[in-house]
Each structure stands twice: as C-alpha cells, then as structure tokens.
Amino acid sequence: MRLKNVIALLLSFCFTVGILAGCGGNQGDSQQEDQGHQAQKTGTDKKAILVVSFGTSYNDTRKACIESVENKIKDTFQDYEIKRAFTSEIIIKKLKERDNLVIDNPDQALQKLKDEGFTQIVVQPLHIIPGVEYDEVRAVVAKYENEFDNIVLGRPILYSKGGEDIPDDYTIAVEAFKQQLPELTDDTAVVLMGHGTHHPANAAYVCLQSVLDDMGLAVYVGTVEGYPSLDNVKKRLKNNQIKNVILMPYMLVAGDHAQNDMAGDEEDSWKTQLKEDGYVVDVYLHGLGENPAYQDIYVQHVQDAIAAGESH
Amino acid sequence: MKKNLFYILIFTFLLILSGCAADKATDSSNNNLEGTIKIVDDLGKTIIMQEPARRIISLYSAHTENLFALGLDDEIIGVGGTDSYPPRVVTKDVFDYRSDPEKVIAVNPDMVLIRPFINSSCPHFVRALENAGINVVCLYPDTFDDFIPYINKLAQLTGREKEAEKLINDFNRELCEIESITNKIKDKKRVFFESTEVEYRTITNDCMAANAIRIAGGINIASDAQPIKEGSSIASYNLERILDRATEIDVYVAQKGSMNAGGTPHAIRIRPGFDTIKAVRENKIYNIDEKLVSSPTFRFAIGVHELARFFYPEIFDDLSKFKDEDVISRQELAEIAVKYKHKPVFTPNSNYYKGKKEGHVYGGFQDVPVDHPYFNYIETAVLSGYIQCENEKFYPEKQVTRDELAHMIFMLFDIKDKPNSLEIKDIKNCKNAGIIQMLCNNNIMSLDEHSNFRPESHVSGNDILEYLARAERLYN
C-alpha cells in the first residue's frame, strides 16, 4: 500500500509537471491522453452499485435491514444506479413464487448491467465476514472482470484489523455497535449471536471478541454454526457472575436465526437455554442493518472500493 | 368392492351416530376367502395373500405411521426418507422410490406399500418391483370418509384386525368427545386455512383438513374454493379473496410441512394488507403440522384437538379441573404448562432427527411411550424447557416439588429480579436457587413461617394456579 501510494504520488507529480511544462516524455503523453479520455467519458459513463446480501423472505426485515442500507448508498452516490442481488437461491425462489417479486442473483444482476451498457461497477456485499458467500461473490466479480471498464468489490464489515493507511474494521465495527448498546450494569451482559462457519474466516468472530474485551465491554460473541459456541459464552457468563443477559443478533437481518434459534420458545433456543440456567433474558430483535452506524460502514466501504478502483 | 366400501361407509357412519359405542367395527375380514387375504387396492388391483405380510416396506409416511399404530415394528423393514413419526422410524432402513428399485428388491420384502402419487410419478420403479414378483399395494384415502376403510385394508394385509378395531373405536370416541363440546358452541369461529403459502391456497371442502375444522367447531370461510386440479385437496384462493373477507376471519391457520414451507405467524403478520384481517389484529394466527390434519393417520384426532384449542382456548385449555387440593403429578404439570401457554403440541419433521442433539430427544423417554395419554403434553413441556428432566426417564406420576414448579414458572414468564432480596434459610437445599430467590423476591412463591422455601415439598393444583395468577398479574 505504501509503495502504491508512492507510485501514485510520483505519477501525479509527473503528470502535473507534464501539464505545467506543456511537454514531457512518452509516459506523460499517454497519461494525459488517458485522463482526457476519462474526462470525456464521465458524462456518458453508466455507473452502478450492486448491493449483494444473502436475502430474507421477511418483507419487514428486508425493508428495515436491507433497503435501509441500499437507500443510504443511493443517497450518497447519486450518480450511480443502485441494484440489488441476493445470494440465496431458496429465498429468490420463494419471493418469486409467493410475492411475484423477482430478485437476481449476483451473476444475473451483473449480466443485466452489462446488457444495459453499464461500464463502472461497484459490488458491495452486505456480509459480516469474508466467508463462503463472500468468496462466491468474489468469484462472480472475477468472472466479469473483463466485461466492464471497471468492476470493484467492496469489503464486508469485519475484514482487516488495520495497519498503516488501512482502516481497522474491527474497531470501527465495535464503535458502531456501541450505538445499539444500552448502559450495562455490573451483572448484565450482551450476548451476540453471529452466524459462524467452517470457513477460516470464522476467526473474525474471535477477533471481534478480542476487540470487545480490549474496550472493556461486557459483550460476548457466540455463533450458531461456528466457534465460539453458546457453551463458550456460558462459561464467560458464569465466570463474570452475570445475572441478566441481553441477546442480540450479530447479523445483517433479524431473520429466522434471530427469531427462532436466538429468541424462540423451543428448548434449544439460546433464550430458553440461558433461562434454564437461571439468567434473566431480554432479546433485542433488530439486525445490524437497522443500525445507522452500520449503514454508514457499508457506505464507507463503497467509497473505499470506488477509491481503490480509481487508483488502478 | 365399491359396493362393499359403500356398506362399510354407511356402517361406520351409523356407528358414529350411535354414540361411538362400537363393539365390532367394520370387520372387513368377512370378505376373506378361507385362509387367504383378499383386497382391492386403490389402483383397482386385486391383492391376494396367503398370510399377513411379515416383511413390509412402506414408502408413504401415513402408511408407516399407521403400521406402527397397528402394533407392527419388526415387520417394518423399510420406510421412506421423509417419515418422521413415530420416533421409532429412525431405527429403520430408508428406501426411496426415486432411486434404484434393486435396493428394494434386494431385501426381499413381501409387501411394498405405496400411494397413487408414487405410481404416477415413478411408474418404472413400481413396474420393476412388480416384475421382480414383489407384492406392491397402492392405497390412499382420498376423502375423510375413506379413512376407516383404508385402515381396515391395512389391518387385513398385516393381520392386525383386532388392533385396528380398538384404534378405530378410540379414534371415533376422541372425535365424538370434541364434537360433542363444539356442537354446543353457538358463536362459532370463522376460519381461513392456508394450505400453501404460494398463491395463498386453501383446501377443498371434503378433505381431511376441512373435516378437522368442522369437528373442531370452526366455520371454513373458503368452503366454496375449488380444487387446483381434479382429486386434489388443495384449492385455489388468492390474496384479494382473503382480504375481501378480512373482517370475517376470526382465526388464521397455516399448515406447515413439506407442502407449505413458510408462513410462520410472524411472516403472515407482516404480509402487505394482512393487518386488515381480524385474526391478524387479534393475534389469532397459528401453524399446524400438515401431518396432523392433512394426512390419513390416527394423529388426526390430535390435529382436531389442536384446532379446537386454537379456536376455543377458553374451553379446551381450561385449567379449572386442577382447582383442588390434590397434589399434582409431573404429567399433570406438563398439561398445565402447555395449556396455560396455549402452546401447540410439538411434532417432529424429518429434519428434526438429523444432526447431533443435546438434551432430550422427542420420544426418548423410556417411561412415556407414544401411546401414553400425556405423551404430547410431556414432550411439548420438556422440549419447550418448561419441565426439567435429567435422564431418559420422565417419571410421569411422580409428585411435583416446589423446586420443579419454580423452574416452570420462571420459564413461562419473563421474570425480572427485584432489589429487595428476601432471606431464604434453606436456599442451599434448592436446586434452582437463583430462580427461587427471584420468585420469592417477586412474591410469586412464598416462604413458610420460618423463612424456609421447602423445595422438596409437594404442591396442589390450587397452589399452582395461585402462583400462576400472581406471576400473570406482574408480568403479563
């Protein structure tokens, strides 16, 4: 990144000198030509942002957690067309059959954008971690690499722990999460339900826990299908002598997992399991997509993707 | 045979009318030739067997369920992939009519039970079995009235006529009991029954589910709906027609299962325009397992009872019979919890048994078999976390302790702690110490004159109803 910046700086220096001097070498000329071409095209360039999520069949959740993010992106990037795609074929099929609502998968959406003559594409997934689905979106983007003048992929919520010139996604995510965090008394903790996966990116949840710990927050991360599990969380609750638990989904939408696995009335729901251990349990049934600070993170990730695309 | 069927139907009908006191139900064994079994199946094929089937493969979940109900187990050597009841099905080998018929032929069954759908969708499979000399029997009761003749055929084929007679009598009695209550209800609930989430379809007026609604005392507002195709129990309806009658729908029931994967109460509530439906406004949206109302099995009686609970909870979930000084047993506590919460009884689907399970697994209690009178209450109360159990026994008749009761009350409500902490002298003897402390701080359960909780002492129905009422005043 540092090297890239230096090169960019040098190039722009060369370029500026070239213009100022009214002369220059071959490199300066071609750069000038490119830039001129670019400027000429701006007026006719068709630009689109494809917002990709797993999807949800719940109409209210879709409005609150997905459309809200799409709308914020739309408001921020007004010279872009905003399109939607879902990765879940089951949900796409269900919405088609039930509500006659047609939603594309990422491949179909990109093909349509190509057919409609779009040239500049940003694909922004609304995923939390760079797991299996993110890999799939990345593969589709790679497939269309030569089909557009420019196509870039935005990053999910939890991506890099940061470095020089690289944003610390985890700290940003925790700061944004504080917006939905009530004031916690000594014997109260928030338990997050993440999705979890066998994919190596599952480590993101552990890193998130570590950052929460660094900030001294009584927030414990558990996952439905990965590590840490609810059993790991229970140990933390016990060790910290917690009596009250607030359950929150650490997912884009408060869909089936949140409604059933987290807050449901059956024996194996997290709410029931924690109550059986004697905890007083409250549930917060709102997806991260409803939190304006998380919406802002996605907007920033689109911005970063555009910037990365321009520096190419 | 049609004529026989007609007589059987008339006879069954008379039987029901005559107060369900049947001694001899439809004993179709009269039709048997000497020493042989002879029936005509639903494809019109005459089945002749010298002796009852001993190695049976059932490829339809209702057949499987009914075979088990008739007391067969070792005789069932194979079941279908989506069969989920009774819990014993998980011990059986699974066969699939969409795969290689050789697998079925290889285990040498003496009867393979199918339904017409299998014959029409996979005729090659069926022909291959027949060509191999396997006795393939195709049965499916199209309407509610065909159910008992169908059971009698199954009983004949398996030599279980006596068992069938008892099951049919019990079944008719259970339905009669419900109907005798609902018949007296003047102001009947009007019901919309959603059979599929796709295109908001309903049911035809002669199918099993429509009869379930009728016996449970409901009025099907879509009784004029026409089948999507001839012979189907699924009927066309649509969003507009539902919303046209929005103010008439007192209760909205959506069946769940392979036919209708979606449609949870939450998903139904948030559909555009559904806020005009009376049932949605009054929170009377329920799911029912399609296997309980749309499948020809004896669990239909449970389905009817469930619908009656949805329609008239003040009658069917009434707890006043427990209002006395009698000590309550664990099985009764299960009934109290389920009825108090108006909790639909738990039923497993075929996905339920997949994957590792922690804690109790449906049907796993050694002392609560599927035909135990409290089976559904016990399973539902345990699987909802209301009642604790430590091993594979439930001890249904054991008397309830105050310790156990505290746990149940805590699970039924969202109880918060109070700052005024009461001193409980014997708190160390309490298994659910934290919960008991909270309940006492809230004055839901109380201490004796020596400030002891007495966790091991027993409780009467009166006590339980009083504690529930106190908790309800604070937390509902």
Side-chain angles (χ1 to χ4, degrees):
Chain A
M1 189 71 180
R2 202 173 176 186
L3 190 67
K4 220 172 165 184
N5 277 348
V6 172
I7 294 169
L9 204 73
L10 276 175
L11 279 175
S12 73
F13 179 73
C14 283
F15 179 57
T16 320
V17 168
I19 291 176
L20 284 179
C23 63
N26 283 342
Q27 198 185 355
D29 275 343
S30 75
Q31 186 77 30
Q32 195 175 1
E33 238 174 58
D34 265 352
Q35 194 71 15
H37 185 58
Q38 200 73 22
Q40 199 183 3
K41 263 178 78 181
T42 320
T44 53
D45 247 2
K46 285 183 82 177
K47 305 199 279 191
I49 298 168
L50 178 64
V51 183
V52 182
S53 59
F54 178 79
T56 172
S57 64
Y58 290 173
N59 295 330
D60 61 340
T61 321
R62 191 172 59 246
K63 278 202 176 65
C65 302
I66 296 178
E67 279 182 32
S68 56
V69 182
E70 291 168 344
N71 289 340
K72 210 159 207 179
I73 292 174
K74 200 177 279 176
D75 292 345
T76 313
F77 305 97
Q78 292 185 356
D79 49 343
Y80 283 79
E81 192 93 15
I82 310 299
K83 302 280 184 184
R84 170 193 293 170
F86 286 175
T87 56
S88 166
E89 292 296 336
I90 294 171
I91 287 170
I92 291 173
K93 185 166 172 271
K94 186 165 177 172
L95 291 174
K96 170 82 187 66
E97 284 177 347
R98 191 188 66 190
D99 303 339
N100 210 15
L101 184 64
V102 180
I103 293 174
D104 293 323
N105 65 31
D107 200 341
Q108 291 162 334
L110 286 176
Q111 186 60 47
K112 276 187 191 166
L113 287 170
K114 182 176 176 277
D115 295 345
E116 289 166 20
F118 283 87
T119 54
Q120 307 284 325
I121 310 293
V122 180
V123 177
Q124 178 58 53
L126 301 187
H127 293 93
I128 307 296
I129 61 162
V132 178
E133 283 174 44
Y134 189 76
D135 282 354
E136 283 167 10
V137 177
R138 198 202 303 261
V140 176
V141 169
K143 186 179 152 190
Y144 283 87
E145 207 167 28
N146 299 321
E147 307 287 339
F148 298 102
D149 290 353
N150 193 8
I151 178 166
V152 284
L153 176 65
R155 63 192 196 280
I157 295 287
L158 303 175
Y159 196 69
S160 171
K161 185 64 188 70
E164 202 172 324
D165 297 328
I166 302 174
D168 176 355
D169 290 331
Y170 287 85
T171 304
I172 293 168
V174 172
E175 287 297 341
F177 182 71
K178 282 185 184 169
Q179 307 269 329
Q180 66 180 68
L181 206 57
E183 209 164 300
L184 299 176
T185 51
D186 281 352
D187 55 3
T188 303
V190 168
V191 169
L192 299 183
M193 176 187 260
H195 194 284
T197 169
H198 58 275
H199 189 282
N202 184 76
Y205 294 106
V206 188
C207 188
L208 174 67
Q209 180 68 70
S210 185
V211 174
L212 288 161
D213 291 346
D214 291 348
M215 293 198 191
L217 297 170
V219 179
Y220 308 141
V221 183
T223 64
V224 193
E225 291 175 16
Y227 174 85
S229 66
L230 181 62
D231 281 342
N232 302 112
V233 169
K234 281 183 179 174
K235 279 182 202 143
R236 279 178 164 258
L237 292 172
K238 202 172 171 195
N239 292 341
N240 292 296
Q241 291 163 354
I242 298 298
K243 287 182 179 158
N244 306 297
V245 171
I246 305 167
L247 282 169
M248 293 185 183
Y250 199 76
M251 300 178 186
L252 178 72
V253 301
D256 262 340
H257 283 304
Q259 303 269 354
N260 301 323
D261 298 331
M262 189 186 89
D265 283 339
E266 302 310 325
E267 185 195 36
D268 48 3
S269 82
W270 285 20
K271 181 184 174 186
T272 304
Q273 288 193 55
L274 291 171
K275 275 184 79 175
E276 287 209 285
D277 288 351
Y279 295 102
V280 173
V281 182
D282 276 312
V283 293
Y284 176 86
L285 265 178
H286 299 278
L288 295 175
E290 289 181 60
N291 179 338
Y294 272 79
Q295 297 166 3
D296 290 341
I297 295 178
Y298 287 119
V299 168
Q300 184 59 47
H301 288 194
V302 173
Q303 188 74 68
D304 293 349
I306 292 172
E310 282 171 352
S311 72
H312 267 265
Chain B
M1 194 59 205
K2 277 261 170 202
K3 207 169 174 186
N4 275 339
L5 241 167
F6 177 74
Y7 285 128
I8 291 167
L9 274 179
I10 292 287
F11 188 60
T12 313
F13 184 64
L14 287 175
L15 214 66
I16 295 175
L17 278 185
S18 67
C20 319
D23 286 325
K24 282 248 171 203
T26 53
D27 192 353
S28 36
S29 58
N30 294 340
N31 303 331
N32 291 355
L33 300 174
E34 233 172 295
T36 63
I37 297 164
K38 187 179 171 195
I39 68 145
V40 177
D41 80 356
D42 289 344
L43 294 177
K45 191 170 80 174
T46 304
I47 310 289
I48 298 172
M49 287 160 65
Q50 296 307 313
E51 54 181 31
R54 290 285 169 264
R55 291 180 61 76
I56 308 163
I57 291 179
S58 159
L59 296 177
Y60 173 45
S61 63
H63 296 330
T64 306
E65 198 175 322
N66 291 324
L67 292 174
F68 275 105
L70 289 168
L72 299 151
D73 190 340
D74 291 343
E75 295 86 348
I76 304 166
I77 61 166
V79 296
T82 60
D83 297 5
S84 57
Y85 188 89
R88 290 272 310 150
V89 290
V90 296
T91 64
K92 301 293 175 187
D93 289 336
V94 169
F95 295 89
D96 182 357
Y97 55 83
R98 283 164 302 239
S99 68
D100 187 1
E102 285 301 325
K103 283 186 188 161
V104 174
I105 297 165
V107 295
N108 192 29
D110 58 10
M111 178 166 76
V112 174
L113 280 169
I114 63 165
R115 59 171 170 156
F117 172 77
I118 298 175
N119 187 56
S120 58
S121 61
C122 297
H124 299 299
F125 175 88
V126 177
R127 295 298 90 75
L129 296 190
E130 286 173 338
N131 290 341
I134 289 175
N135 180 29
V136 181
V137 182
C138 181
L139 295 173
Y140 185 78
D142 273 328
T143 67
F144 178 65
D145 293 335
D146 298 332
F147 174 62
I148 286 166
Y150 149 72
I151 291 295
N152 281 324
K153 281 185 191 174
L154 269 188
Q156 264 182 277
L157 294 165
T158 55
R160 297 281 167 156
E161 287 93 338
K162 273 209 182 102
E163 289 83 351
E165 192 181 314
K166 183 181 177 304
L167 286 169
I168 290 168
N169 286 342
D170 289 348
F171 178 78
N172 284 333
R173 199 190 53 246
E174 283 167 42
L175 293 184
C176 276
E177 277 171 12
I178 297 170
E179 201 168 14
S180 68
I181 298 169
T182 57
N183 269 343
K184 289 183 204 131
I185 296 169
K186 291 222 171 64
D187 192 13
K188 294 226 161 110
K189 291 283 161 67
R190 292 162 300 180
V191 182
F192 180 75
F193 189 96
E194 178 178 299
S195 65
T196 73
E197 191 181 26
V198 172
E199 294 177 18
Y200 306 99
R201 290 172 181 144
T202 186
I203 38 167
T204 57
N205 206 34
D206 59 353
C207 72
M208 300 273 300
N211 278 283
I213 292 171
R214 184 184 51 75
I215 302 167
I219 297 169
N220 176 10
I221 67 135
S223 57
D224 56 337
Q226 296 303 309
I228 48 168
K229 59 176 190 254
E230 207 192 314
S232 175
S233 62
I234 297 174
S236 309
Y237 223 64
N238 59 45
L239 187 60
E240 270 170 44
R241 287 177 78 183
I242 295 173
L243 295 184
D244 270 352
R245 312 192 62 175
T247 54
E248 292 171 51
I249 303 171
D250 297 312
V251 182
Y252 196 103
V253 181
Q255 70 175 350
K256 279 205 85 159
S258 55
M259 275 199 264
N260 197 21
T264 61
H266 172 75
I268 290 167
R269 196 171 301 122
I270 62 178
R271 287 176 187 164
F274 267 50
D275 51 348
T276 58
I277 297 175
K278 188 174 173 229
V280 174
R281 284 205 311 269
E282 295 176 359
N283 217 5
K284 300 277 184 193
I285 314 171
Y286 300 93
N287 280 139
I288 190 150
D289 185 343
E290 67 182 29
K291 296 266 168 77
L292 294 188
V293 287
S294 291
S295 190
T297 71
F298 292 104
R299 277 197 299 164
F300 179 77
I302 296 169
V304 173
H305 190 253
E306 285 292 283
L307 290 178
R309 292 179 64 211
F310 300 161
F311 302 164
Y312 309 106
E314 66 288 355
I315 299 171
F316 287 92
D317 282 345
D318 178 33
L319 293 174
S320 56
K321 71 170 176 182
F322 296 105
K323 221 178 230 171
D324 55 35
E325 287 303 320
D326 292 350
V327 169
I328 295 293
S329 62
R330 278 168 61 84
Q331 62 191 13
E332 288 169 321
L333 188 70
E335 181 179 346
I336 291 172
V338 171
K339 285 188 167 176
Y340 181 80
K341 265 289 198 188
H342 307 304
K343 180 96 179 165
V345 298
F346 178 87
T347 52
N349 60 27
S350 54
N351 287 329
Y352 172 78
Y353 302 102
K354 288 175 192 154
K356 205 177 129 233
K357 286 256 175 317
E358 277 175 30
H360 173 67
V361 179
Y362 180 79
F365 288 125
Q366 290 162 6
D367 51 1
V368 188
V370 284
D371 55 355
H372 189 283
Y374 287 85
F375 176 83
N376 286 303
Y377 292 130
I378 290 169
E379 287 296 341
T380 308
V382 171
L383 289 172
S384 304
Y386 302 152
I387 301 183
Q388 291 166 301
C389 56
E390 276 159 13
N391 51 32
E392 288 171 344
K393 284 194 171 174
F394 181 74
Y395 304 105
E397 282 162 29
K398 213 170 140 191
Q399 294 178 330
V400 173
T401 65
R402 283 167 54 84
D403 208 317
E404 289 170 326
L405 179 65
H407 172 87
M408 185 192 86
I409 293 174
F410 184 72
M411 295 306 289
L412 291 182
F413 298 89
D414 285 328
I415 289 167
K416 307 257 183 280
D417 203 4
K418 287 265 154 87
N420 58 318
S421 194
L422 277 186
E423 193 203 350
I424 304 172
K425 284 199 174 139
D426 57 353
I427 193 79
K428 283 209 172 99
N429 305 333
C430 300
K431 241 188 340 186
N432 294 295
I435 288 173
I436 287 166
Q437 184 72 55
M438 267 187 266
L439 290 185
C440 292
N441 293 349
N442 273 281
N443 199 25
I444 293 168
M445 290 181 82
S446 27
L447 304 175
D448 69 6
E449 62 274 24
H450 307 293
S451 297
N452 283 320
F453 182 76
R454 296 186 293 114
E456 288 308 316
S457 59
H458 299 129
V459 275
S460 69
N462 275 341
D463 292 340
I464 295 176
L465 296 182
E466 168 61 21
Y467 301 148
L468 287 173
R470 285 189 205 169
E472 192 173 310
R473 278 197 291 276
L474 288 166
Y475 290 102
N476 262 7

